[in-house]
Structure formats: structure tokens, C-alpha cells
Amino acid sequence: GMNRIKDIDRREGIAIVEPGVVLGDLHAEVEREGWFYPPDPNSLKNCALGGNIAENSSGPRALKYGPTRDYVLGLETLLIGGEPLRVGRRTRKGVTGYDVTSLLVGSEGTLAVFVEATLKLVPKPQAVSTLLALFPSLDAAAASVLTLIAPSLMPRCLELLDGTTLQALRDAGNPIDPRAGAMLLIEVDGPEHVTEEHSQRVGAACERAGAFEVQVAANPAQRDRLWAARREMSYAVKKLSRHKLAHDIVVPRVAIAALLAHLTESSERETIEILRYGHAGDGALHVNFLWDLDEQLPNVSRAEDALFQKVVQLGGTLTAEHGVGLLKSKYLPLEQSARLIQLQTNLKKVFDPKCLLNPGKIFPTGHTAC
């Protein structure tokens, strides 16, 4: 329910939606009108906008366009007692009072219930070009990332997949050259002539960085096939082992190589498989711990602890787009001071005095009403 696109204002470039609208459906509707809603988590065919807003989801295109928060102008909400509260605006600019809208975006359902969202749209790009670059090793692919995000190139997507991930794709029926130890999936957009030129320059930069093959999608159907494999990645990875634990983290782009080296050492030390892929262009990676035997769980826990300690040490953050939730709440003090955490828990109690909304999420406070 609550899945209506209530309005697409073509003159102002805004959409009014209910929280049950599936993201892919919104994409299709606004693009028919010549507009564009950039946030694109890979679950776009299934995920709803209410969840996207609650988690401040992003996806591959965030490299150029930014996350969901950048496109939420206003929200119609219900407070825990049922009182309606409208926050934000319909205009592109506005600084009246505190930015409560941005506070609610990414609040993981802990502050209020969303019933309507006002979203900003941008003009639909005239052209899109998708490239696939195969590298002999993960190190070579990771080293090329900094080259590819130069201001003169700046793709809208820059996805990194490691060797184990590529094998999962091969096992799922995708014909990927067995020589490839890593892959970059890259996308550029803009005016027709600019996009074609940028695509050629990005391809040349990949070859200079060590790619042994660069493919360019010849048409939209081929581009969709390239992305289909990436969007199904999480499902393909689940088939590799009995157990899977997935985390999304972010480090500065200059620290990606150091984090990958840490994960290789951690995998060898703990004798578990650690698979890596994600949005390398903005430093966000999905780290997957895979194991089969129950007695390996302590090894996984040690590797998980070491991951978050390393991320913070490198100047990164615990979560890119999936939120803190329950699993990461114990790691919050690694990144944030006790004073900051206390300030946030006080803020929650202003909205939700009895901590009834998603109790235990973000801050491990338990469910005080039961």
C-alpha cells in the first residue's frame, strides 16, 4: 500500500510520492517526462522509497550525483503519538529553521514514520555510455580508480569487483574472461558529443592503468545486461557458502588499496573467504565474510572487529548506505565520541520518548516499553 506517485511537476522538477513506491517505477515515470531521479541502489526493482529515505540509500550513481538525502526536499511524517508533522519545503532552496528533513533522512525509522516525500528531480542526461574494464589483478584495478576520478573524466559510476566476485558471476552463467582478477564497471553521461569523448578517454585511461580488455556497450540493451550481473551480485554471492555476513563501509579513495590489503591479510589469517565489491569511485565497498562451518564463527567475528577498527584508522566510516542497524551499534564508539552519541540519543527521546520506534537500532538501548 501507500504506493502512489501522487504528482510529477514538470515545471518545477519535483515528484510527490508515497513511501511504498518502488524505486524502479519512479525512475521509469520521471524519465518518461524527461526528468531524472539519480539515486539507484542495486535493489531498485524491489526497494521502496520509504526505505531508501530511512537509510539514505545511494548506489553506483552517487559518485556523480550524491545520495538520497540530496534529493529529499520535504517529508510528511507521523510522530509516535500519531501527530502529523510536515518538514521541509517544495522549493529547491530554503534555510528556514533547522534542517529537520535531513535529520530524518537516514534516521533508520527511529524518529518518525514517513507517509509522503517531496523529491527533487534533475534533467535527464542526453546520453549514457557504459564500459567494462578487465584487469589481471585486484591491485591494478584499485590503483586505476584514482586516475579515473580526475575532474577531466569524472564518471557517474565506478564499480569494483574482485576475483572471487567475478567467479561468482561466472558460476551464475556470465561469460567473463578467466584471466580477469578484477573488473571495473564504469558509466559516463552528459550531452551526446561530450559523453562519447569521455567514454573514449576513460577507456584509454583504463588501458594505460593495465586493463587487458575494455568493452563498451553498443546499445541500451547491452548496457542493461552489463548492469544486470552487478545488480544480482548479492544473490550470486549467497550461493558460494552456507553463511554470509555483509557489511558496507567507506574509506577515503586514497585508502582503498590499504583496506584491500588488510582484507587479504585478514582472510589468510582467519582462514575464511572475504569477498569485495562496490562503489570504489566514492570509497564505498561491500565486504562479505563467507564461511561454511559453525566453528569458524569466532574467526569471522575477529575479522569483523578488525575490519571496523581498520576502517576508522584509515579515516573512514562504519556504514555507507545500509545504516548502523543492530549489527553495527556496538561499533559506534569506534567512530563517534561518547558526547556525540549521548546528544543523538537525547534527540531520539525528543521525537520518541519511550523509544518505541525501531528500538535498539543505531543505539543499543533495548525496548523500554516491554
Side-chain angles (χ1 to χ4, degrees), residues 57-353:
S57 301
S58 48
R61 296 193 300 227
L63 171 60
K64 179 175 181 179
Y65 290 102
T68 295
R69 177 177 281 116
D70 294 348
Y71 298 90
V72 182
L73 297 173
L75 291 167
E76 191 76 41
T77 72
L78 293 175
L79 300 179
I80 185 61
E83 178 187 355
L85 179 69
R86 171 78 193 180
V87 300
R89 59 195 189 278
R90 283 181 63 111
T91 56
R92 299 262 173 157
K93 295 175 71 173
V95 291
T96 306
Y98 293 148
D99 190 355
V100 179
T101 305
S102 289
L103 173 65
L104 294 178
V105 177
S107 60
E108 301 187 37
T110 62
L111 300 180
V113 177
F114 305 147
V115 296
E116 182 185 284
T118 302
L119 304 175
K120 179 178 72 174
L121 308 176
V122 298
K124 181 181 176 181
Q126 289 180 6
V128 179
S129 180
T130 302
L131 302 89
L132 183 153
L134 299 177
F135 292 81
S137 69
L138 181 59
D139 288 343
S144 71
V145 169
L146 290 176
T147 301
L148 294 171
I149 56 172
S152 59
L153 296 176
M154 188 45 74
R156 77 175 186 179
C157 305
L158 180 51
E159 299 288 288
L160 171 69
L161 290 77
D162 73 359
T164 308
T165 306
L166 295 185
Q167 190 55 50
L169 287 178
R170 293 184 189 103
D171 293 343
N174 297 282
I176 298 171
D177 193 312
R179 295 175 297 166
M183 181 176 89
L184 291 180
L185 185 58
I186 310 159
E187 202 160 76
V188 296
D189 68 2
E192 292 270 4
H193 66 286
V194 173
T195 300
E196 184 176 352
E197 179 196 350
H198 276 199
S199 178
Q200 293 173 354
R201 290 165 60 196
V202 166
C206 288
E207 291 173 346
R208 288 195 300 272
F212 64 81
E213 182 179 348
V214 178
Q215 303 174 16
V216 181
N219 52 55
Q222 189 176 1
R223 185 175 46 140
D224 289 343
R225 284 196 297 272
L226 289 178
W227 277 107
R230 169 63 182 92
R231 297 195 189 284
E232 295 297 317
M233 177 58 60
S234 183
Y235 304 107
V237 169
K238 284 180 180 177
K239 298 177 182 178
L240 296 178
S241 63
R242 284 184 58 208
H243 304 293
K244 169 192 165 189
L245 176 64
H247 285 301
D248 63 314
I249 51 83
V250 189
V251 293
R253 290 177 292 215
V254 294
I256 289 176
L259 179 66
L260 293 175
H262 163 82
L263 290 170
T264 299
E265 294 168 4
S266 186
S267 175
E268 294 170 353
R269 182 173 61 252
E270 301 297 348
T271 62
I272 57 171
E273 191 76 65
I274 301 179
L275 182 149
R276 299 146 290 185
Y277 61 88
H279 322 308
D282 49 20
L285 291 177
H286 298 279
V287 178
N288 297 262
F289 299 99
L290 308 175
W291 73 102
D292 291 315
L293 305 176
D294 292 341
E295 52 264 36
Q296 291 177 287
L297 188 56
N299 305 55
V300 174
S301 296
R302 287 193 298 270
E304 183 185 27
D305 291 347
L307 167 66
F308 291 121
Q309 290 168 9
K310 188 65 174 180
V311 164
V312 173
Q313 178 192 334
L314 292 171
T317 185
L318 300 176
T319 178
E321 54 192 355
H322 296 169
V324 175
L326 297 172
L327 285 179
K328 294 183 182 178
S329 60
K330 66 179 180 179
Y331 297 109
L332 198 59
L334 285 178
E335 182 178 335
Q336 297 188 344
S337 68
R339 183 70 188 95
L340 178 55
I341 294 172
Q342 184 63 56
L343 181 65
Q344 292 172 93
T345 55
N346 291 346
L347 241 154
K348 174 171 170 58
K349 289 177 182 177
V350 171
F351 283 85
D352 180 18

Side-chain angles (χ1 to χ4, degrees), residues 4-26:
R4 292 179 299 162
I5 299 174
K6 300 174 75 173
D7 185 28
I8 297 175
D9 189 326
R10 299 157 188 82
R11 296 170 301 176
E12 296 292 338
I14 62 173
I16 311 295
V17 301
E18 292 181 331
V21 172
V22 172
L23 176 61
D25 295 341
L26 178 67

